[in-house]
Amino acid sequence: MWLFILLYILGLNISQAAGQDNSTQMYYVKLIIEESAIGNITDLLRPFVTDTRLHVDDLQKTTTCQSDSASTECTSTVQGFISVPTKYSDCLSENTTLSYKTCNNKLLTEMKTVYSTIRGFDSLTIINYRVGSIIATFEMTIAYHLKPQDLVDKSTELTKNLSGILTMETAGEYICFYRQTSETFTITHKASAVLDVCLLPNIEITTLPSFPHCKTSTDLLNLQVKCEIKMSSEKYDVRWTKQNIEAKLRDITRYSSEGVDVNSVSTVIKCDSPLKNYNVTCTFTNRCNQTRSSSANINIIYGDDKFCEAEGDWETTKAGFTAVLKCKDAAGIRRRLCREGDGIWNDEVSSCVNQDLNSVLEKALIADIGLGELDENAARVFSLLDAATNNSNTINTDANVNASVQVLFTLSEKKIQPNKTTAEVSITDFLDSSSNLLDKSLSKTWTNDHDTGNASMAERYLTSVERIIQMADIKDVPEKNNIEVAVRNCSQESKCTNEVFGVTVNLKDREPGSVKTAGFKELENYLPNDDDEFKPNSIVVSTTTERKPSDEVEIRLNFTLHKPRPPNVVIKCVSWDNSSRRWSDRGCEWIGEAQCVCSHLSSFAILMSRFPLDIPWINEVTYAALAISVVSLIISLAIELTVWVAVVKTSTLYLRHTAHVNISLCLLVADICFLASSKPKDISVLWCKTVVVLKHFCYLAMFFWMFCLSTTLLHQAVFPFHSVSKKNYMKFALVVGYVCPLLIVIITFLANKGGAEGYYYSKETCWLVYTGLMVGSIHAFVLPVGIIVFINIFSMLVVIMKLLDRTKVAEASRDKEKTAAITVMRSVIFLTPVFGVTWVFGFAVMLLDLTDGPIAFAINYIFTLLNGLQGLFILLTTCLGDKLTREALLNRLKTRAPASISESSTKSDSFTKK
């Protein structure tokens, strides 16, 4: 009679010399015997064990636990994790690789060697590995009463052998608690149960062929339908059904291949059937009697239907439908639309994700379902994501980058908070992988991105990384290639300063706590920007605080611009608005240079206008003034030609009128070139460069001839009795008036990469380049002009002072103040145009920026009018306003001989009439 169930534990201890293998082999035998056989137990067991040194260490009686399952027995369960040296780093590899299997078996053997000597040892399994450094989570089953001291002794031995750190807990069964509390009591409800989980599959159904082709009405088409699921421990019952298919379903098969369970069925389609809505469905039922189905609609190509011919991997496809193929050696599918109207293939759209990234994404999705701690699972995912994104060449597709971003987005929604054990490694892996995704080599995958539902890929990336940074316990983290995070604890301060990638962020608030600032390179180019006028000109900088910001929060950002701001170009300080999904300047103000002040926290950047500010009607004013100037200069030159013989009777008049003619001629050519290049976009690059060279030379020559004239008048004012010969003056004037500007133009042209666009000239303006103070080819024009204008103003002041002195002597009996005022006014009016004094406003235009306000606009209008009408002013002052020229012109028009002009009268009038 069988009395009870006995569990016998037979032990054999074999100890060898130090340095050799030290092992204990245990045998576990479960017998149901009669009580009278106990005395002969050792002899009864010998036939089953060949070891001659066998003996029974201890004999215990145990009984089985009561359970719904007859196979369930009482056992002690021990769970824990052990941190092992980096030589076991291969255990972090995918569990399908050889390196993982070798590493896992090695560590498992080390652990079993120690723990298998515990009396009652049943099994030991390593559940998973995670980072920080290498941590193995394991579970051990003891089918015997476990002595705590045995566990302590063996754990000490194991940690010594492995040089590791062990954390362990003993557990029995899963228990859930529900607590009800108040100020006076706490009631805890506790329950435990056996958990039975039934799985439902994700079904992928396909047909072969995808689009059966009925070429004639008498054709019979063979059709195969496959339903694929991932291999699972769940045993499913599969049932097939059909709709509108006359033939029965046959050849029902089931097989496994490369981690996939495949169920297939075959049937026949008749092409003469009037029914076109064919359908086959597979239904999977698990052991909990739960079901999941998937159906395939059979889209047949009939004789008159348009279709796309088979091409490469793509089968013949009915027009208006999308052909679908599984990715090769990758997860996901490829799609290609056959256009409905003409039956022509569109380009392929691939969502193939490499296997490593797909595995990471799957782990991220299940990180919080209860299999392990969320934070430890997240750390594992970050480690794998870092490894998967480390080589940009392996993820350089839209689908791969999108999957990587989805990993970050998935974890950011799970509110992870890495514990102290995994925090440092986890944050480093997180920032490394996030930085990898912003690598410049992946720029096309970002810019090719289209909105995916509620947010673009760049938006989801920014939102995800911001959330994780805010949740994580980040301290001192090294700068990554494309991400830098700065953290400062400002619990006792109202002002905080962080710096990332050269951008300084000053936060002012009431005890903000921990302030985290993150800088993102390249991201500014990927975030949606529907404003065609403005483009990003800085990195994206995000700032968050530990405590909720107050209504008085102020953040000042001093950005580093990608490109210097050209003159008259507007800059906008913006923040990312998640609700409108666009950059917004609400609550932000530009305060000059690259500095912004905002009244809220967000992600910030600088947008710069693509074009400078427009001055209303400035072009029309310019063209009208230049047209008048050109006509006036032509008239002026015609008058000079007409009266030349009559007015150049003396050396002084010859010198003055020679300068007038050359000034007018240079200004005429320059104004014509200016009008010819008034629309830079409509002219060729060669013509634009040519007119820039001509304008540069002619305007400089004009000023140098003005310099010749001013020095001549200055010489006459200071040394009235010293005359200069025509020959010497012409040598001086030709060298100064033409050779000097020519040398300046040639040297500037060659020094700026041979007149290259963007260096010597700008195609957008067909003029010299100005990029900032003392930067740009424009200074080869501005500096000589500035010096000449300064000298000319000095000369004009000396001439005016001499005239005042002569007026005082000649007209002592008159009112001195009235005479002086008239003399000064007359001299200024006559000398200003030919001395180029109006160009002083040009320097003001360069110094003032249109973003400064109305004053800058007013100066631009004044400069445009005065310099545009310079030809008119020259006509009025040097020709019509000059008494000698006017009389000579009238005499010529009346065809009378010109009046005799004496040398003395000419000299006395030459200063007051010019």
Side-chain angles (χ1 to χ4, degrees):
M1 179 178 180
W2 306 106
L3 299 178
F4 40 75
I5 301 175
L6 296 177
L7 177 63
Y8 293 94
I9 304 175
L10 312 178
L12 180 63
N13 298 323
I14 302 174
S15 300
Q16 299 178 350
Q20 298 181 7
D21 187 30
N22 184 2
S23 64
T24 300
Q25 189 167 353
M26 308 293 295
Y27 300 96
Y28 304 92
V29 180
K30 181 175 67 178
L31 299 176
I32 301 176
I33 62 174
E34 291 184 358
E35 187 175 5
S36 59
I38 293 178
N40 300 319
I41 186 67
T42 301
D43 294 331
L44 290 172
L45 291 176
R46 290 193 185 279
F48 303 99
V49 181
T50 58
D51 197 325
T52 58
R53 294 167 294 179
L54 173 78
H55 68 276
V56 177
D57 283 347
D58 192 12
L59 180 64
Q60 298 288 336
K61 295 189 296 183
T62 63
T63 58
T64 59
C65 296
Q66 297 298 319
S67 172
D68 293 336
S69 173
S71 62
T72 301
E73 297 180 352
C74 283
T75 59
S76 295
T77 303
V78 177
Q79 295 179 335
F81 57 88
I82 184 169
S83 177
V84 295
T86 55
K87 68 179 182 180
Y88 292 96
S89 59
D90 285 344
C91 291
L92 295 175
S93 305
E94 288 294 327
N95 56 17
T96 57
T97 62
L98 179 60
S99 59
Y100 169 87
K101 294 177 181 178
T102 302
C103 178
N104 180 71
N105 290 338
K106 181 180 178 181
L107 181 59
L108 192 59
T109 301
E110 292 278 357
M111 296 179 71
K112 283 186 175 180
T113 299
V114 175
Y115 281 133
S116 63
T117 61
I118 296 177
R119 195 179 309 277
F121 173 85
D122 184 37
S123 64
L124 188 150
T125 305
I126 296 179
I127 301 172
N128 59 46
Y129 295 90
R130 63 182 188 273
V131 293
S133 52
I134 296 103
I135 299 175
T137 302
F138 65 91
E139 184 177 277
M140 180 169 57
T141 304
I142 307 296
Y144 184 69
H145 174 67
L146 180 62
K147 295 180 179 179
Q149 190 57 46
D150 288 346
L151 195 59
V152 170
D153 293 341
K154 298 305 178 184
S155 296
T156 301
E157 180 182 349
L158 177 64
T159 54
K160 183 178 180 180
N161 292 346
L162 293 178
S163 300
I165 300 174
L166 177 68
T167 301
M168 183 183 293
E169 67 178 16
T170 59
E173 52 193 348
Y174 285 101
I175 303 173
C176 64
F177 296 90
Y178 170 63
R179 289 185 174 88
Q180 293 176 296
T181 62
S182 73
E183 295 181 355
T184 57
F185 68 85
T186 299
I187 301 176
T188 302
H189 305 273
K190 182 174 70 173
S192 62
V194 177
L195 184 64
D196 191 10
V197 178
C198 298
L199 305 177
L200 283 174
N202 292 321
I203 307 169
E204 182 179 338
I205 188 168
T206 57
T207 64
L208 185 66
S210 302
F211 298 89
H213 192 179
C214 286
K215 298 179 180 179
T216 67
S217 59
T218 59
D219 287 347
L220 295 175
L221 304 179
N222 291 319
L223 180 71
Q224 185 182 24
V225 183
K226 291 183 179 180
C227 285
E228 300 181 4
I229 64 171
K230 286 189 175 182
M231 292 183 65
S232 170
S233 59
E234 186 75 40
K235 301 300 181 182
Y236 297 102
D237 178 55
V238 182
R239 183 170 55 91
W240 293 91
T241 57
K242 58 187 175 72
Q243 180 181 357
N244 295 331
I245 297 177
E246 296 180 4
K248 66 178 182 179
L249 301 177
R250 53 186 176 81
D251 299 332
I252 299 176
T253 58
R254 178 183 295 180
Y255 60 92
S256 298
S257 174
E258 297 181 356
V260 176
D261 286 333
V262 182
N263 290 267
S264 68
V265 71
S266 299
T267 189
V268 174
I269 302 291
K270 293 183 179 180
C271 290
D272 61 351
S273 174
L275 299 174
K276 296 186 178 182
N277 186 21
Y278 301 114
N279 180 282
V280 176
T281 301
C282 60
T283 302
F284 286 72
T285 305
N286 62 19
R287 54 193 172 84
C288 295
N289 207 31
Q290 299 167 323
T291 62
R292 179 169 290 174
S293 300
S294 184
S295 299
N297 294 318
I298 315 302
N299 300 298
I300 297 177
I301 304 173
Y302 291 97
D304 296 333
D305 293 337
K306 292 183 179 180
F307 60 90
C308 294
E309 294 282 358
E311 183 180 295
D313 295 339
W314 302 98
E315 296 180 309
T316 300
T317 301
K318 190 174 183 178
F321 289 84
T322 299
V324 179
L325 291 176
K326 292 181 64 176
C327 297
K328 295 180 179 179
D329 300 323
I333 57 176
R334 301 154 56 198
R335 293 184 176 88
R336 196 176 186 188
L337 174 66
C338 179
R339 293 204 302 252
E340 186 171 6
D342 49 17
I344 296 178
W345 286 112
N346 273 0
D347 292 336
E348 174 185 333
V349 177
S350 173
S351 60
C352 297
V353 178
N354 71 47
Q355 296 290 4
D356 290 341
L357 268 180
N358 187 65
S359 175
V360 175
L361 180 56
E362 290 178 345
K363 288 179 172 60
L365 292 171
I366 63 172
D368 60 346
I369 65 171
L371 298 177
E373 294 293 332
L374 169 60
D375 298 328
E376 295 173 357
N377 291 340
R380 170 71 167 160
V381 171
F382 284 138
S383 175
L384 295 174
L385 182 62
D386 181 20
T389 60
N390 194 40
N391 185 352
S392 60
N393 293 328
T394 62
I395 61 168
N396 197 8
T397 66
D398 300 355
N400 282 330
V401 174
N402 185 64
S404 303
V405 172
Q406 191 60 33
V407 172
L408 297 175
F409 187 77
T410 300
L411 293 180
S412 72
E413 291 190 319
K414 297 183 184 297
K415 298 182 179 179
I416 58 174
Q417 293 180 332
N419 56 43
K420 294 181 180 180
T421 307
T422 62
E424 184 176 350
V425 177
S426 177
I427 293 302
T428 299
D429 290 339
F430 155 65
L431 292 176
D432 279 334
S433 57
S434 301
S435 176
N436 293 340
L437 294 178
L438 294 180
D439 192 88
K440 283 187 177 181
S441 61
L442 301 176
S443 60
K444 288 185 178 180
T445 65
W446 288 93
T447 53
N448 289 339
D449 174 52
H450 301 287
D451 283 4
T452 54
N454 295 326
S456 68
M457 196 160 67
E459 290 176 85
R460 287 183 288 118
Y461 173 90
L462 177 59
T463 302
S464 306
V465 177
E466 277 185 330
R467 284 178 185 170
I468 297 174
I469 288 176
Q470 188 171 19
M471 291 186 295
D473 181 19
I474 301 179
K475 294 181 180 177
D476 296 327
V477 181
E479 174 187 326
K480 307 303 177 183
N481 290 335
N482 300 299
I483 290 182
E484 183 177 3
V485 179
V487 183
R488 183 173 179 183
N489 191 344
C490 302
S491 299
Q492 304 299 325
E493 304 175 36
S494 60
K495 293 183 179 180
C496 246
T497 301
N498 279 332
E499 183 176 342
V500 289
F501 291 132
V503 179
T504 304
V505 179
N506 295 293
L507 178 69
K508 183 178 180 182
D509 199 10
R510 296 194 300 265
E511 296 186 1
S514 177
V515 178
K516 299 175 183 176
T517 299
F520 304 87
K521 289 183 178 179
E522 301 298 322
L523 185 60
E524 69 277 5
N525 300 316
Y526 310 144
L527 287 166
N529 181 23
D530 55 2
D531 192 340
D532 295 332
E533 183 180 351
F534 288 85
K535 62 180 179 180
N537 196 31
S538 73
I539 66 170
V540 176
V541 174
S542 170
T543 296
T544 58
T545 56
E546 181 181 5
R547 302 183 180 95
K548 184 178 179 180
S550 67
D551 296 335
E552 300 175 358
V553 64
E554 179 186 273
I555 183 170
R556 289 177 175 262
L557 303 101
N558 191 356
F559 283 94
T560 300
L561 298 181
H562 294 330
K563 295 181 179 179
R565 183 183 75 92
N568 308 322
V569 172
V570 174
I571 275 183
K572 287 201 306 187
C573 296
V574 294
S575 62
W576 184 256
D577 189 339
N578 288 315
S579 58
S580 63
R581 298 180 55 206
R582 61 186 300 176
W583 290 113
S584 170
D585 59 0
R586 181 182 57 83
C588 289
E589 180 184 1
W590 176 47
I591 58 175
E593 297 299 328
Q595 299 182 52
C596 300
V597 176
C598 298
S599 58
H600 61 277
L601 300 185
S602 181
S603 297
F604 304 95
I606 278 183
L607 301 184
M608 187 172 73
S609 176
R610 298 174 185 269
F611 311 103
L613 282 173
D614 289 330
I615 305 175
W617 301 100
I618 194 68
N619 290 333
E620 289 77 5
V621 172
T622 301
Y623 301 149
L626 286 177
I628 295 173
S629 180
V630 168
V631 173
S632 300
L633 290 169
I634 293 173
I635 296 173
S636 179
L637 289 171
I639 291 174
E640 290 284 358
L641 182 63
T642 302
V643 301
W644 182 262
V645 176
V647 297
V648 294
K649 297 295 185 179
T650 66
S651 296
T652 302
L653 290 173
Y654 179 83
L655 300 179
R656 196 182 82 181
H657 283 276
T658 298
H660 288 170
V661 169
N662 283 278
I663 290 171
S664 299
L665 184 61
C666 292
L667 182 57
L668 176 62
V669 176
D671 285 350
I672 291 174
C673 290
F674 196 98
L675 289 172
S677 60
S678 59
K679 295 183 178 180
K681 294 182 180 179
D682 298 336
I683 62 177
S684 66
V685 173
L686 179 60
W687 176 244
C688 181
K689 183 187 293 188
T690 302
V691 295
V692 170
V693 172
L694 286 174
K695 286 189 289 185
H696 190 190
F697 172 74
C698 290
Y699 279 128
L700 280 179
M702 177 189 72
F703 277 98
F704 275 99
W705 275 103
M706 289 178 178
F707 171 73
C708 293
L709 179 61
S710 68
T711 54
T712 301
L713 294 179
L714 181 63
H715 177 267
Q716 291 179 349
V718 178
F719 306 103
F721 300 107
H722 183 272
S723 61
V724 180
S725 67
K726 293 182 182 180
K727 183 177 180 181
N728 290 336
Y729 176 79
M730 288 305 298
K731 288 181 180 179
F732 168 77
L734 288 174
V735 171
V736 173
Y738 289 118
V739 176
C740 288
L742 181 62
L743 289 175
I744 292 174
V745 171
I746 291 174
I747 293 172
T748 306
F749 187 90
L750 296 177
N752 287 277
K753 297 190 175 182
E757 180 183 353
Y759 293 89
Y760 175 71
Y761 77 102
S762 169
K763 179 64 173 64
E764 296 179 357
T765 60
C766 276
W767 184 227
L768 301 175
V769 174
Y770 174 59
T771 54
L773 187 62
M774 301 305 296
V775 180
S777 60
I778 189 67
H779 293 87
F781 173 77
V782 171
L783 293 179
V785 168
I787 295 172
I788 291 173
V789 169
F790 176 78
I791 295 173
N792 288 354
I793 292 175
F794 173 77
S795 301
M796 188 173 70
L797 293 175
V798 173
V799 170
I800 291 172
M801 292 175 64
K802 289 293 182 179
L803 288 174
L804 288 174
D805 185 62
R806 292 190 180 187
T807 302
K808 179 179 179 180
V809 175
E811 305 179 7
S813 60
R814 297 185 181 183
D815 186 355
K816 297 180 180 179
E817 293 184 359
K818 181 178 179 181
T819 302
I822 293 174
T823 302
V824 170
M825 185 178 297
R826 180 183 176 88
S827 300
V828 170
I829 292 174
F830 278 82
L831 294 177
T832 294
V834 292
F835 278 8
V837 179
T838 56
W839 282 74
V840 171
F841 290 97
F843 298 108
V845 168
M846 289 188 63
L847 295 175
L848 291 176
D849 200 293
L850 291 178
T851 58
D852 294 335
I855 295 178
F857 281 83
I859 295 296
N860 274 270
Y861 281 119
I862 294 173
F863 173 72
T864 300
L865 282 171
L866 291 179
N867 288 277
L869 296 174
Q870 190 172 8
L872 175 62
F873 297 148
I874 290 175
L875 172 65
L876 294 176
T877 57
T878 63
C879 294
L880 302 181
D882 183 73
K883 182 179 180 180
L884 297 179
T885 303
R886 189 170 60 249
E887 290 178 352
L889 179 61
L890 291 174
N891 290 335
R892 185 61 183 269
L893 292 175
K894 295 177 181 180
T895 63
R896 293 187 303 181
S900 176
I901 304 173
S902 66
E903 177 78 16
S904 59
S905 64
T906 301
K907 288 184 178 181
S908 63
D909 290 341
S910 62
F911 294 98
T912 59
K913 296 174 182 176
K914 182 68 184 96

